[in-house]
Structure formats: C-alpha cells, structure tokens
Amino acid sequence: MGAGISRRSFLRTGAAAGVALNVSFLPSPAGARLVETPPRPGPDWIDPSGRPRYRLDALAKVTGAKTFARDYRAVDLPGWPREQSHAFFIHATKADRSFEGLDLAALGEDLKPDRLVLHEDLVADGIVTPHPDFFGDVFLVPKGETPRLLGQPVALLIYRDFARYDAAKRKIRFDDSVVRYGAQTPYNQPPNYGAARYVRVDGGTPEAEDRYSALKDSTIYGKFAGEKVVWPDASPGDAMGRGMAAAAEIEKSIAAAGEGALVLKRSYFSQSIDASAMEADNGNVWYDAASGVLHLMVASQSPHEVAEVSAELVSKSKFPLKEVDLKVGYTVGYGTKDHHIFPFFCVVAGLYGEGRPVRLANDRFEQFQMGLKRHAFWMDNTLVVDRGTGKFRIMTGHSRTDGGGRANYSFSVAFVGATAAQSIYYLPQSDFSAAAFASRAVEGGSTRGYGTLQTMSATEMMVDEAAELLGIDPIELRLRNVFRSGMKNSQGAIPAGALRNEEVLHKARAHPLWAERLQKKKAFEAANPGRKYGVGYGHVQKDYGTGAEAALVSIAFDPKGRISLQHVAHEMGPGVTTSQAIMVGEILGRVPDETEYGVVRWPQMPLETTDEPYTTSQEEEDRRKLNPRWTPRITSPMSATNSVYYLGHATREAARILLDLALWPAARSLWSRGIGGGALAPYDVRREDLRLTGGMVNAGGMPPLAFEAVAAEAHRLGLPCGVTVHTFNRWQWTEAEFDVPDRGRLRMAIDALALRYGEGASEDRKQLMTTGGWHFLERAKVDYPPTQRNNAGVTYYAPMATLAEVSVDTATGAVSLLSHHSILECGRQVVPELVSGQIQGGLAMGIGHVLKEYLPLYEDGPGDGTWNWNRYELPRAKDVAVWSQTAEVLPPLSESDPPKGIAEVVMIAVVPAIANAVTHAIGKRFYQLPITSEKIREALS
C-alpha cells in the first residue's frame, strides 16, 4: 500500500536461519483437551440434515475443559520442569522525566527479586526489540532516558516462588517511590507514524472512468513537519501531484457550491477504549539452554508471527537457539493480541529464568496499563448536498489519530478508517485523509473495528444532521445516495458482488420502530413526564480481510471413508472450528471425523516467501512468481474478520478439488461396473449432477452409494485421496494452473497444491510423493492480482443497519436503551447460530462505545496503572436491551452466495443509531463520544 507500510501486514521476519519452528495446540491440565483432540462432540452434534446442533467445542466449554493459555503452569506442560518462576514489571508512570533507577527498599530483604532485569542487562546480552519501527526501540527504559510512553516497563522482577512474587507485587503496586525520576525533560515519543490520502473525482457518471482515484493513479502519502502534515505539491508531473491538484479542485468546488447546495462542516471525536478481553495478556516461557530450545505458551492471535519473531529475537542474542516450540491455547483478544509486543516480553523473561520456566501474566490493572487500545480519532468532515435533489456532490474527511508511544498498526488503522469514511454512499468527488501521530499515550493497535467504527459513526451522524437541515427523512436521504452494485468506492475500486444496502434501507423504513416513531414519541412522553423518547438509525458497510489473505488447508480420507481436516485457523471464540468443519460437510456430505487447527508445520508445502505483499513492486513480483514455490505470504493471523470467507475459501477449494479428482471418478467407476458400462451407461450423468449429503453419494438417477464405498474405490484406483492447498487474496483471488496426473492442466483459485494418492496407486505414482509423503505439484502458471490492487483499499463489504429506541431522563441525563433491531447481510450463513452470537456480542460492544467506555490518553489515563473495571464502565445486561433486541439476516440471493465476514460490522451501526436516537429524543446533537449523562445534562442546561 505504499510508503513501506501495510495494512495489518504480517511482519517480515523470516525465521532465523537454522532455527526450527514448532507450533501446536495443547491438552488441558485435567486431561481434557482442546477441540482438536478429545473430548469430542457427541454423536448427535450433527443433525440428519448435516447442520450442527451445537458448537464443535461445546462440550469442552460446558464441562470446563476449554482451556486458555492463561490456565497453564509449567507442571501442566509435558516435558517441562515442574518448577515455575513468576515475573512482573515495574512501570514508569511519568513520561516527562528521566528514569534514574529503582528504590526497592519497600520490599525488604525477604521480598527482593531472585533476578532483576534492567535495560542494561538486555544490552549486555544482545537482546533488542524486533522490528523497532513497529514495536519500539527498547523493551525497558534505559537509565538516564525518558520513557517513550506512559506505563513503559523499566524493570522485570523474577521470583522462584509464587508467594513471594505475589506479596512483592502487592506491596509496591501503587508505590510511587519505587521508580526514581530525574529532571523534567521533553517527551521522548517516536516520530509520527504516517499520513495517507485518498482522492477521487469521477468521470461525470458512476460508470465513467475516473478522472483521478487511488486505484487508477495513486494513494497520496504525506510527511511531517513537527505536528503538521505536509502533502506533496500539486503538479501534473506525477500521480501524487495530480492527486493534490484534484484535491485543490474539490476545495474550490466546495467554496463555490452556492445557495443551491447545503455545505455542512462538522468536527467529531471518538475516544480511546480498552477492548476488555476477559483473558489478559500472558505467557509462560522456558528456555532450555542444554538443548537450545525455546519453549513458549503464549496467548496470541498470530502464533506463526510469535514463533518467527521469537526466533529472530533470540538468535541475535547471546543465547544459543536451535528450535522454537510454541504451544497455543484458546484465546480471545478482539484484535489486541494480534502483533503485540507482550509475547516478546515473555520471551525476554524466559531467557532469564536460569533454567526454570517463567510466567509473565498481566492482572487487570496491568492489562489496562499495557494492553493495546482502540485509537482515539479526531475527524473534520465536510458534506456538500444538492438542495434540489438531495444528492451528495462532495464529501471530504480529514482525520488524525493518536497511536501512543509504539507504532504498532497506527498508520494502517488511520488510513483504513479513511477508506471507510464513505460508509454506504456513492460520492462523485471525495477527499479522505488520515494521519497517525505518536504520543506518550499507551499504544493503540488493531482493536476490533480497525478505525472504521470511528469514521463511519461520524459519517452516519453527519448524514442524519444533513437530513434534518434539508427537511428530508433520514432514510430517504440515504436511499437517494446509496452505494449500488457496480459503483466505485472512494479509492476507485468496484466492490465484489451485489451490494444490498438499498434492500436493507427499505426494510428499515418499513419497520415499526421507524414507521411509528413520531406517534410513539408523542405517546411515550405524555405517559412519562421528564423522559424523552427517540429512535435513531445507523447504517454502515464494513470491509473484511486485509488485502493479503493467505491460508493453508488439508483434507484427506482413508479407505474406510474417515475424513480428516488440518487447518491454519485457530479458535478465538467466534466458532471458526465449527464453521470450517461444516463447510467440508456441505461439499463432501459429511463433516470431518478428525480435525486439527492452528497447524503451522506443513512439510508437504515447501513454500518460500519474502512476506512483503503490500510493498513488492509489480516488476519484482513478476520475477519472483517464476519460482513455482514462491508466494507473497504463507499465512495470515486470525484477524480482520477473515475466517469464514478467506480461510473458508481454502477449505472449500480443497474439498472441491478432492471431489473432482477422487470422489467423482470413483463414483463413476462404481456405477460403471457390469456388462455394457453398468447402470451409468444408459444415462447422461454429468459432474454437475453429483450430490453428496448424509454420507451418501448420488447423481442423475444413479443408485445411491455410501461415502465409505466411494472412498474405498478411490483408494483402490490410486486417485488423489488427500489434497492440500495454499491460497492468496489481494482483494481478488489468485489463480494458478497445475499439471495433474491423468487430468492434464487444470486452473484453480489457489497458488499451491499437494496431492496424496490412494493406497492402490502405482509405484510410479507413489514415487512422486517425496515431499512429506505428498506429491507437491509445482504450478505451471500463476496469476496473482496486480500489485496496484493494493490501492483498492477494499473490495469486500458486509453491511449492517440498526434501529435504536431510547429514552432520556431529562433530570439525570441517563439514556435507557428500550429496544433495538438490526438488519444484516452476510451472504450465505454457514452456521446461523454463530452469526446470531456475533450480532449480540458486537452490539454490546458498540453500545459500550457510544454511551459508557472512555479512557483519558495521558497522565490521568491507563498508563498510570490505577485503572481497572472499578473505574472503567462496561455495558451490562440491563444496558443492552437484552430481552428486547431483535435482528434479521437477509436471505442469500442464491445457495451459491459466498459467506461474508461480519465480526466487526455488527458492532458499528449501533453507535450512530444511538447517537441519532438521543438527538431525536432531546433535540441536541453530540459530536464527541461517549454520550454520557453529564454531557446530556450540560446540553439541556
């Protein structure tokens, strides 16, 4: 995406040379295991129609056997020592004074740490932060220097027993005398993180070629002069210069809009929040110096990255390293455990364990102090609307975000927010920019919503105000400007498939909450003196995916018809393990008998990568793809709502290939038995007639065959009975051609393929299986989406709208959410119950954002170590209208519709819906979130 910065880019690490990586999931200490291993679901988990009666991990959940990384100690991990050490940090709570050392007198002799680790120890041992432009330049604050951010650790204290560790931690938790500070200094924050701009001017109609757009021309990147963004000069000579000239023309058009247009200019603020995942950051690390193995048990959304970066970190130090063995439990993070520095703090702690495992686990105070935050955004928007037609002419939005004291994904979050600001509207001319600034605040990261909640909420609040000023029904104004299929987004790209926002709008307008809102307001307020009634609407469409999605999946069956599935995906709560298994069943007619998730070692896929999918030039990619084993990326973290569509694509492709190469020809072989070509010969039975359901194979009037019989025949014939695929998507699927034995050249929506032949395969065929027991087919040709497509910003959208009904107590300012109704479009639902769960959970998080949750950024914020849930208000059941919330999901246009990722979009529309409802109730608009009772009382005073 330019400027060497990528959206949620999988950091280019490349495992250190000669270091083996081993990543796996774990059994629980009680002997119960994770979903990939027993206890498995009961025999009744799939109903006769092939649908799940409950989640694949349901039994583990209800019996307490679903274990998280936080649940493990060294004694629970096979092969680890029984002894367990524990560690905690001392943090700097001032970022305007130098750190001059520690005073641990409060601990006394009994509670002094067994090992004290300071920055100078790390320097002496060759330990440096990996990727300092992302994770910061130091782990611990050096003596004599000013902390980079509030809450930055200055020291690591390690104890060989829990009792002393716990007592020491409690003793000095809030003791300001422990850290000694020097003279006041300027802030020591890093350079600002980046600025990007997306300008588009259409060609006169939505269908015409754009005069300028990011996809057609270029994204524009800015530089910084102090706290000011400096954009390139407008000029005709280069793409960015032409873009700035187009931006200048847009500003002239706004100034010359005249009386025939409404020119609405507003500024908005969206606050910093803590995602409050129930599992705080934690890890347990044992460095075995004798064997050179680094053993890790870490909570992470991106285990592959943790293993690779850990290998890089240790390999550069004095500690010899031969292997990284990472164990992964279940986790939950809402994006905050994706590419976070905390796992590498755990590695550092483990290196100083002196042969013992060291556990570093945040309590809730520490999690507030160190955990990744949702970014605060400041947004200055302008909307130009034709008064006669109600059509939008122009929209501009210039936002800035505070990324805190480590870069993390701040720049990426900022510009993804800019690309989303268009929301569900077609804009003939637009100019959206975003700048990510560094500060002393606790760092922001890839928290759920990824910048889009902030910008789309502002747009929706602005559109509602424009409707009021124009005297147009808010849904009618949206209908006049809705983004329809085939139109271009603010980056100049045409989104995938059918856009159904118009259908959602019509449903919302007809819903009783909206249609009867004026009558209900009058009746409610007459019956409830001192309380005001309002209904608000919010409607957004959220991208899913990162523009560099990669996955690996393997599906195979044995001669008895038992199906096995191996997958890179791992469970984070949304039900990915369930949905991937169901996808296999939808194609093969039976769900897998054996599943293994979180797989990282793929010996049958000897792929190579530079892992620079966003910054590789077209020329460089054209050269590299000549290597049939090269791919832009090996695998993606669990983030960006990527499981059902992107990871599911790999699952579906593997199942389809298995169907085409093995099950179809095996079924034909069975039907062809007998004189004259058997039962098959008289009929014209085609591949498209094939149906697999309920463990039976049918096609075009043929005798039904048991799946086990077809599997046995496939093995007898030596057909491919195992398929492993690798996929890559850059806002479009990669396609490649493979020379498949006995089938010729086949084109598939994958970029790597390995086959395992059945037991009856010929010796010649078996001799091909030399790569981990598989036949890796080097592709004959590959078509990766053009690198220019990075500038599309997004092509996959899922929309959701919410109607919110509120009452406001005019004396206290308290907002009561009476009910809400949501309308979602997510393509074909794989497991509707999982979609329902996502809707309910997302709505609760959005309600918290708009009404309750707030963190100050600086000295009185979470970096001071005093924040916990006693101060930070989360929504409870009484706040979310738990018994009066409803939702509907649009049916798919056809059974062939792909599923869409919805884990983030479900959280967003409720934010502007409630804000607009409060305005409808009391006649006052709010431009800063959250909308607290104090703000309402002030507005009414």
Side-chain angles (χ1 to χ4, degrees):
M1 284 194 164
I5 303 293
S6 59
R7 179 178 190 256
R8 300 191 193 189
S9 64
F10 191 86
L11 299 175
R12 184 189 178 194
T13 57
V19 177
L21 302 181
N22 181 19
V23 184
S24 58
F25 278 66
L26 275 176
S28 78
R33 297 172 181 265
L34 298 182
V35 68
E36 300 81 53
T37 50
R40 298 195 173 280
D44 65 337
W45 92 279
I46 295 293
D47 69 20
S49 68
R51 310 309 302 168
R53 288 192 171 97
Y54 49 83
R55 290 170 57 121
L56 197 62
D57 56 349
L59 293 184
K61 292 180 74 170
V62 300
T63 59
K66 183 173 180 177
T67 52
F68 291 75
R70 193 175 186 87
D71 296 323
Y72 291 89
R73 305 295 183 271
V75 69
D76 306 315
L77 301 171
W80 285 42
R82 296 184 62 83
E83 300 80 12
Q84 175 75 69
S85 293
H86 301 267
F88 69 91
F89 287 121
I90 295 175
H91 300 265
T93 57
K94 300 180 187 295
D96 61 349
R97 294 180 180 275
S98 62
F99 166 61
E100 298 299 338
L102 299 174
D103 181 354
L104 299 179
L107 293 177
E109 287 299 319
D110 291 342
L111 296 181
K112 283 187 177 180
D114 296 308
R115 182 69 164 92
L116 176 67
V117 182
L118 300 171
H119 168 79
E120 291 68 28
D121 298 306
L122 305 186
V123 172
D125 294 335
I127 297 174
V128 297
T129 54
H131 310 283
D133 289 343
F134 190 91
F135 291 119
D137 63 335
V138 292
F139 280 114
L140 305 174
V141 181
K143 185 176 181 180
E145 295 190 18
T146 303
R148 280 64 169 162
L149 68 160
L150 292 160
Q152 185 173 8
V154 298
L156 178 71
L157 285 68
I158 301 175
Y159 291 82
R160 296 172 70 86
D161 64 288
F162 180 83
R164 292 174 59 248
Y165 150 85
D166 186 57
K169 189 174 182 178
R170 293 175 183 274
K171 183 80 171 176
I172 64 174
R173 181 193 297 279
F174 303 118
D175 189 339
D176 292 335
S177 69
V178 171
V179 178
R180 294 192 291 110
Y181 296 99
Q184 189 166 1
T185 68
Y187 298 126
N188 192 24
Q189 62 205 42
N192 292 323
Y193 302 131
R197 193 164 185 166
Y198 298 85
V199 176
R200 177 176 176 265
V201 178
D202 74 8
T205 67
E207 299 78 22
E209 181 181 356
D210 287 344
R211 290 166 50 201
Y212 188 92
S213 73
L215 179 60
K216 175 177 172 286
D217 299 281
S218 177
T219 304
I220 303 166
Y221 294 98
K223 298 179 180 179
F224 292 91
E227 296 303 292
K228 181 181 178 182
V229 179
V230 179
W231 300 104
D233 292 331
S235 69
D238 63 86
M240 289 192 194
R242 294 196 305 275
M244 291 307 299
E249 288 299 318
I250 289 173
E251 287 302 315
K252 289 180 182 178
S253 297
I254 294 172
E259 295 183 359
L262 168 68
V263 179
L264 183 61
K265 297 186 177 184
R266 293 290 185 266
S267 295
Y268 299 88
F269 170 74
S270 184
Q271 77 279 23
S272 169
I273 66 103
D274 187 273
S276 292
M278 292 300 291
E279 184 191 27
D281 292 332
N282 67 93
N284 203 345
V285 177
W286 168 41
Y287 173 66
D288 184 1
S291 65
V293 178
L294 182 72
H295 301 270
L296 300 91
M297 178 66 189
V298 175
S300 175
Q301 294 177 231
S302 43
H304 193 276
E305 175 252 358
V306 169
E308 287 200 325
V309 176
S310 296
E312 179 186 358
L313 187 163
V314 179
S315 294
K316 292 179 179 179
S317 73
K318 77 170 190 179
F319 298 92
L321 183 67
K322 295 181 180 178
E323 181 181 349
V324 172
D325 179 25
L326 171 62
K327 307 296 184 186
V328 183
Y330 284 108
T331 191
V332 60
Y334 306 113
T336 63
K337 291 186 177 70
D338 178 15
H339 294 85
H340 186 21
I341 193 173
F342 193 86
F344 311 116
F345 274 123
C346 297
V347 171
V348 171
L351 293 176
Y352 290 96
E354 299 174 348
R356 294 163 58 107
V358 179
R359 183 173 184 265
L360 181 64
N362 281 346
D363 61 25
R364 191 54 55 178
F365 286 106
E366 293 164 320
Q367 186 64 19
F368 270 95
Q369 191 170 35
M370 294 188 71
L372 294 177
K373 303 294 181 276
R374 178 177 293 154
H375 289 76
F377 264 66
W378 294 260
M379 297 152 282
D380 296 318
N381 292 354
T382 300
L383 180 63
V384 181
V385 190
D386 188 289
R387 291 185 182 273
T389 64
K391 288 294 191 83
F392 298 166
R393 295 182 187 174
I394 298 169
M395 184 173 178
T396 67
H398 304 297
S399 63
R400 57 179 289 152
T401 185
D402 189 317
R406 297 189 187 97
N408 202 275
Y409 279 124
S410 289
F411 179 31
S412 176
V413 168
F415 69 67
V416 169
T419 64
Q422 172 182 13
S423 191
I424 65 162
Y425 309 107
Y426 177 72
L427 302 172
Q429 298 182 57
S430 57
D431 178 7
F432 294 111
S433 71
F437 290 84
S439 80
R440 63 193 184 279
V442 177
E443 71 194 283
S446 58
T447 308
R448 192 179 191 182
Y450 210 83
T452 67
L453 176 146
Q454 296 92 318
T455 59
M456 286 195 289
S457 294
T459 297
E460 283 298 285
M461 293 157 69
M462 190 174 203
V463 168
D464 238 55
E465 184 171 1
E468 179 187 15
L469 294 173
L470 291 167
I472 301 175
D473 176 89
I475 291 184
E476 173 60 27
L477 183 61
R478 288 172 168 88
L479 280 166
R480 295 184 192 183
N481 293 281
V482 69
F483 190 1
R484 294 182 171 89
S485 304
M487 290 179 167
K488 301 184 188 76
N489 63 19
S490 56
Q491 299 83 255
I494 297 175
L499 301 182
R500 302 175 67 186
N501 290 301
E502 188 171 6
E503 186 178 346
V504 173
L505 284 163
H506 283 295
K507 279 184 168 289
R509 184 162 63 176
H511 193 277
L513 272 179
W514 187 258
E516 301 169 8
R517 69 192 187 284
L518 298 181
Q519 304 95 296
K520 284 188 174 182
K521 179 176 177 66
K522 184 177 180 180
F524 181 94
E525 292 177 358
N528 298 273
R531 296 175 67 191
K532 297 295 185 180
Y533 175 93
V535 173
Y537 183 69
H539 190 153
V540 300
Q541 58 182 13
K542 171 72 176 69
D543 66 301
Y544 51 98
T546 65
E549 291 291 347
L552 284 150
V553 174
S554 182
I555 305 176
F557 58 81
D558 67 15
K560 295 181 179 180
R562 291 182 60 81
I563 301 171
S564 62
L565 167 68
Q566 290 186 307
H567 211 298
V568 290
H570 67 280
E571 184 62 73
M572 298 242 317
V576 60
T577 55
T578 303
S579 62
Q580 299 298 324
I582 293 300
M583 288 183 212
V584 173
E586 289 175 338
I587 294 173
L588 300 186
R590 277 182 40 184
V591 297
D593 300 282
E594 301 285 340
T595 59
E596 183 181 359
Y597 291 98
V599 178
V600 173
R601 302 190 78 175
W602 298 87
Q604 69 269 47
M605 300 294 269
L607 301 176
E608 304 168 13
T609 186
T610 46
D611 213 355
E612 296 174 316
Y614 303 102
T615 57
T616 302
S617 68
Q618 189 64 61
E619 180 181 11
E620 176 74 3
E621 183 160 291
D622 289 343
R623 183 180 65 82
R624 290 191 177 278
K625 74 181 185 182
L626 297 176
N627 173 0
R629 300 188 175 198
W630 181 83
T631 184
R633 164 168 286 179
I634 298 293
T635 188
S636 301
M638 293 298 296
S639 62
T641 318
N642 65 356
S643 65
V644 72
Y645 180 70
Y646 296 100
L647 305 186
H649 172 83
T651 301
R652 294 186 293 271
E653 286 303 296
R656 289 180 187 126
I657 294 168
L658 199 60
L659 194 67
D660 290 340
L661 299 186
L663 298 174
W664 170 236
R668 286 182 60 90
S669 174
L670 292 174
W671 286 322
S672 300
R673 286 182 176 177
I675 189 169
L680 181 65
Y683 274 169
D684 178 21
V685 182
R686 305 182 183 189
R687 164 63 181 82
E688 56 263 33
D689 299 325
L690 189 63
R691 300 289 185 272
L692 283 79
T693 183
M696 301 301 291
V697 180
N698 298 272
M702 291 295 100
L705 300 171
F707 184 89
E708 292 82 354
V710 178
E713 180 70 0
H715 270 274
R716 186 187 70 82
L717 296 172
L719 297 170
C721 297
V723 171
T724 303
V725 302
H726 181 269
T727 57
F728 180 76
N729 181 292
R730 183 185 284 132
W731 304 124
Q732 177 181 333
W733 287 109
T734 297
E735 295 185 354
E737 297 177 6
F738 301 88
D739 292 323
V740 179
D742 299 330
R743 294 297 299 272
R745 182 161 295 185
L746 301 178
R747 188 173 181 86
M748 307 174 188
I750 62 176
D751 70 340
L753 174 67
L755 302 176
R756 189 170 67 199
Y757 302 109
E759 294 182 357
S762 67
E763 286 303 314
D764 289 344
R765 193 61 49 83
K766 289 179 179 179
Q767 288 177 8
L768 297 173
M769 297 192 295
T770 58
T771 311
W774 291 66
H775 176 198
F776 178 76
L777 284 77
E778 295 195 342
R779 64 192 179 225
K781 184 177 184 294
V782 66
D783 291 315
Y784 286 108
T787 59
Q788 179 71 9
R789 204 158 177 83
N790 283 321
N791 288 340
V794 59
T795 60
Y796 300 99
Y797 291 105
M800 178 155 151
T802 297
L803 287 159
E805 180 187 35
V806 306
S807 71
V808 180
D809 188 313
T810 56
T812 66
V815 177
S816 297
L817 184 57
L818 304 176
S819 72
H820 50 90
H821 178 74
S822 295
I823 307 168
L824 173 69
E825 194 275 304
C826 63
R828 183 182 60 81
Q829 299 182 76
V830 178
V831 183
E833 294 82 359
L834 296 178
V835 174
S836 176
Q838 286 289 303
I839 292 172
Q840 295 171 53
L843 285 164
M845 186 173 277
I847 292 165
H849 189 93
V850 67
L851 293 178
K852 295 182 176 296
E853 299 178 53
Y854 174 78
L855 285 173
L857 285 169
Y858 305 121
E859 277 67 25
D860 53 349
D864 70 6
T866 66
W867 280 79
N868 205 318
W869 285 328
N870 63 325
R871 298 177 64 186
Y872 186 83
E873 189 176 2
L874 289 169
R876 293 164 172 79
K878 66 182 178 62
D879 303 311
V880 301
V882 67
W883 301 117
S884 56
Q885 59 177 280
T886 55
E888 60 182 301
V889 179
L890 296 188
L893 297 173
S894 77
E895 64 178 13
S896 64
D897 282 16
K900 297 181 178 182
I902 52 89
E904 292 177 291
V905 72
V906 293
M907 170 190 61
I908 301 172
V910 71
V911 175
I914 290 176
N916 292 333
V918 171
T919 297
H920 182 225
I922 65 173
K924 304 290 185 180
R925 292 201 175 272
F926 297 87
Y927 303 97
Q928 297 191 343
L929 300 180
I931 302 172
T932 61
S933 57
E934 292 80 7
K935 291 178 183 177
I936 291 173
R937 290 199 305 270
E938 182 180 350
L940 291 173
S941 64

